Amino acid sequence: MSAGLENPAEARAANTGEETGVTYAVVIPTLVRPCLDACLEALATASGPLPAEIVLVDDRRSAEGGTPITVPEPLLPLTQVVAAGGRGPAAARNLGWRRTSAPWVVFLDDDVRVGPDWRSRLVADLAERPARVGGVQGRIRVPLPEDRRPTDWERGTAGLAEARWITADLAYRREALVECGGFDERFPRAFREDADIALRVLQAGWSMERGERTTTHPVRPASPWISVRTQAGNADDALMHALHGRDWYERAGEVRGRRPRHLAITAAGLAAVGLAATGRRRLALAAAVGALTGVAEFAAARVKPGPRTPREVAVMTATSLAIPPVATWHWLRGLAATRSATPWPPPVKAVLFDRDGTLIHDVPYNGDPDKVEPVPGAKEALDLARRSGLRVGVVTNQSAIARGLATEAEVAKVNARVTELLGPFDTWRQCPHGADDGCDCRKPAPGLVLRAAADLGVAPEECLVVGDIGADVAAARAAGARSVLIPTPQTRPEETVGVRRAAGLEAAVRYALAGGTGAVVWHG
């Protein structure tokens, strides 16, 4: 127990920030690189209130036989490790924040080190922020060599210190994440997914601010060809262009870079090859000179501010030859792949309803079909969904079977009565287990939602789960689906925080028909 506190509950409140009115979770996607140990150690030793929750998202394709994750003792009781399966940082962050419940979610990269007073400064950054502040960014420091000029790679990393809204250290209000559908999982690498969600948060009417906490982002070792490999990000720029328009650079605080010059150099090089092949040697020579002049200017611009060692000059020369065609290829590939891209999250195609308390009045452990009574407006809302082309299903916990309070046959009769009064449903998934059975289907686990989505041939992110308690919302989030809560007298007040709420089933269905994006549909 902490000195001066009278009970463990008060100690916990002080240690996790509850006493200050700020409760936060930390999410760190990781490939379990050696830098993760330093990241966690810095978080563990910083002063100030501990996070309420920490989620480490292991995004290796397979962790079997790989480096285990070691969590410092002070963080161990707060930490859970979940596997993402190599789907990329956007999907990993979504998986992470959906496993938390704190009002604020802080995203850190696994190669950063928070400052010694980071936890205290974070709480100060978040305390008493106006209700429409959706995100608060930390201040990034990139240490560079003091005894020489930085290399091209080091200068590129140093640019993070001035970048807007990077998730190396960024706290988002949970309500903003819910409203915007989280990170766009079509971004496959750690590039632009942070700018995309920030623009969507701003477009939804939230504001973004910069805090005072500091985080160090060391320059990690890299291959000489790293600058060529990072050109794959041009495909992500093409997706940003498709989603946010030509002016997204300015709105995100980014620079357009050298892509027009890369396109010109590549076009000149291709023209030289084509002209030479047709015997037009003078024109081919002129085109080749133009391409090489562009490459020489590019290489010189990269060499001049650097250490100018023989190795750096050689690397800059070689990579400056390769970058223009590689960048052009990825840009054109991205344009082709994203020409019909639609905003994230995708439109809702299916609505999955909880049964008791949502579609019908809740009769605890009911095995009698004569006691089934639909809630007002249930039939009209379901008919609206069906007429509009939405698939509809039911996802329901039925622990009465595990408790011996109703048989499977009796529950089946109740379900049949629900279908008779409100159906038909395109899928029906129920969990017969108890809370201690350890199944993956009982809400708040995601199993029911995932299986219902598979039944309907839709992705989880194309589903909207409608329920009346926090377990329904948690199951949706764990599965990657959206959710709407319809509060009832049985809904606990804390379950209504940071979720979309509706006044009734029709409002929830109309929200789905509107695309399943935007603000909460009703403030009760």
Side-chain angles (χ1 to χ4, degrees):
M1 187 181 303
S2 300
L5 296 179
E6 297 180 357
N7 58 60
E10 290 181 357
R12 180 184 180 278
N15 287 335
T16 62
E18 293 176 15
E19 192 175 65
T20 65
V22 175
T23 305
Y24 69 98
V26 171
V27 173
I28 306 175
T30 180
L31 295 175
V32 196
R33 301 177 292 184
C35 55
L36 177 63
D37 290 339
C39 175
L40 293 176
E41 187 62 30
L43 180 61
T45 57
S47 63
L50 285 163
E53 308 156 278
I54 300 171
V55 182
L56 303 179
V57 187
D58 185 344
D59 199 33
R60 293 176 291 185
R61 292 189 182 278
S62 174
E64 186 175 349
T67 305
I69 295 178
T70 303
V71 180
E73 186 65 30
L75 306 182
L76 201 54
L78 313 172
T79 302
Q80 59 174 309
V81 179
V82 296
R87 295 170 55 202
R93 291 192 185 99
N94 279 343
L95 181 60
W97 75 261
R98 288 168 178 156
R99 293 293 184 98
T100 68
S101 58
W104 287 93
V105 182
V106 186
F107 296 100
L108 296 175
D109 287 346
D110 69 353
D111 55 353
V112 304
R113 299 172 189 172
V114 300
D117 57 354
W118 183 86
R119 297 190 327 229
S120 296
R121 285 178 175 263
L122 171 70
V123 170
D125 280 348
L126 303 184
E128 299 180 0
R129 291 283 177 178
R132 291 307 294 177
V133 173
V136 183
Q137 182 178 339
R139 296 183 181 272
I140 304 299
R141 187 180 72 88
V142 181
L144 294 175
E146 297 181 358
D147 58 343
R148 59 168 174 81
R149 294 181 177 185
T151 64
D152 180 70
W153 172 243
E154 290 167 341
R155 294 194 306 275
T157 305
L160 296 175
E162 303 301 326
R164 287 187 197 171
W165 324 136
I166 57 171
T167 44
D169 177 1
L170 183 55
Y172 272 111
R173 198 184 293 273
R174 172 173 300 280
E175 290 171 288
L177 293 170
V178 169
E179 182 175 335
C180 296
F183 291 83
D184 188 334
E185 298 181 11
R186 291 171 295 184
F187 288 92
R189 70 200 105 248
F191 191 69
R192 302 307 191 205
E193 85 291 351
D194 45 11
D196 168 75
I197 191 173
L199 288 179
R200 287 188 285 115
V201 166
L202 291 168
Q203 288 163 2
W206 300 87
S207 63
M208 301 279 289
E209 298 183 357
R210 190 179 292 271
E212 296 301 323
R213 66 191 186 277
T214 58
T215 294
T216 298
H217 192 304
V219 180
R220 67 177 186 269
S223 156
W225 294 96
I226 185 66
S227 58
V228 177
R229 290 203 298 269
T230 57
Q231 298 309 310
N234 281 276
D236 301 316
D237 279 358
L239 179 55
M240 289 290 290
H241 181 274
L243 296 173
H244 298 285
R246 290 179 176 273
D247 65 341
W248 75 264
Y249 290 96
E250 290 75 19
R251 290 186 285 122
E254 297 287 346
V255 296
R256 293 182 179 271
R258 283 180 163 263
R259 188 179 303 116
R261 297 187 188 188
H262 293 336
L263 293 171
I265 290 170
T266 304
L270 291 174
V273 172
L275 290 167
T278 59
R280 304 163 78 176
R281 294 184 178 179
R282 289 188 177 182
L283 290 176
L285 179 61
V289 168
L292 290 174
T293 299
V295 168
E297 184 275 332
F298 180 36
R302 299 171 71 205
V303 167
K304 184 177 180 180
R308 305 181 193 175
T309 61
R311 182 180 186 276
E312 178 77 356
V313 172
V315 169
M316 292 300 98
T317 301
T319 55
S320 294
L321 277 166
I323 285 174
V326 172
T328 298
W329 160 249
H330 285 298
W331 171 249
L332 296 177
R333 175 179 64 84
L335 288 178
T338 62
R339 61 184 181 276
S340 58
T342 57
W344 180 270
V348 171
K349 294 182 179 179
V351 184
L352 306 177
F353 297 90
D354 172 57
R355 194 191 80 175
D356 303 313
T358 302
L359 289 177
I360 62 174
H361 288 288
D362 187 11
V363 178
Y365 311 117
N366 182 31
D368 183 355
D370 290 337
K371 294 181 179 179
V372 172
E373 180 184 356
V375 302
K379 184 67 165 64
E380 293 78 4
L382 286 162
D383 287 345
L384 172 62
R386 296 183 186 106
R387 287 197 310 271
S388 304
L390 293 173
R391 311 293 298 279
V392 294
V394 177
V395 286
T396 177
N397 289 346
Q398 292 301 321
S399 63
I401 298 172
R403 294 169 180 263
L405 300 175
T407 67
E408 287 196 38
E410 288 172 333
V411 172
K413 289 180 180 178
V414 172
N415 293 342
R417 180 59 174 162
V418 175
T419 298
E420 179 184 347
L421 294 172
L422 300 176
F425 294 96
D426 299 304
T427 184
W428 192 297
R429 286 283 179 172
Q430 74 179 26
C431 171
H433 305 109
D436 299 326
D437 289 343
C439 68
D440 69 345
C441 53
R442 178 178 169 83
K443 295 178 288 185
L448 293 180
V449 177
L450 293 174
R451 288 166 193 153
D455 292 342
L456 300 175
V458 299
E461 59 265 25
E462 296 173 320
C463 294
L464 177 71
V465 177
V466 180
D468 65 315
I469 62 173
D472 300 313
V473 173
R477 289 180 178 170
R482 280 161 279 184
S483 61
V484 166
L485 186 75
I486 302 177
T488 68
Q490 285 70 46
T491 308
R492 297 194 302 270
E494 62 268 23
E495 295 176 325
T496 67
V497 177
V499 303
R500 297 184 183 95
R501 291 174 287 162
L505 288 169
E506 182 181 347
V509 169
R510 291 195 180 280
Y511 173 77
L513 293 175
T517 59
V520 289
V521 291
W522 175 66
H523 295 276

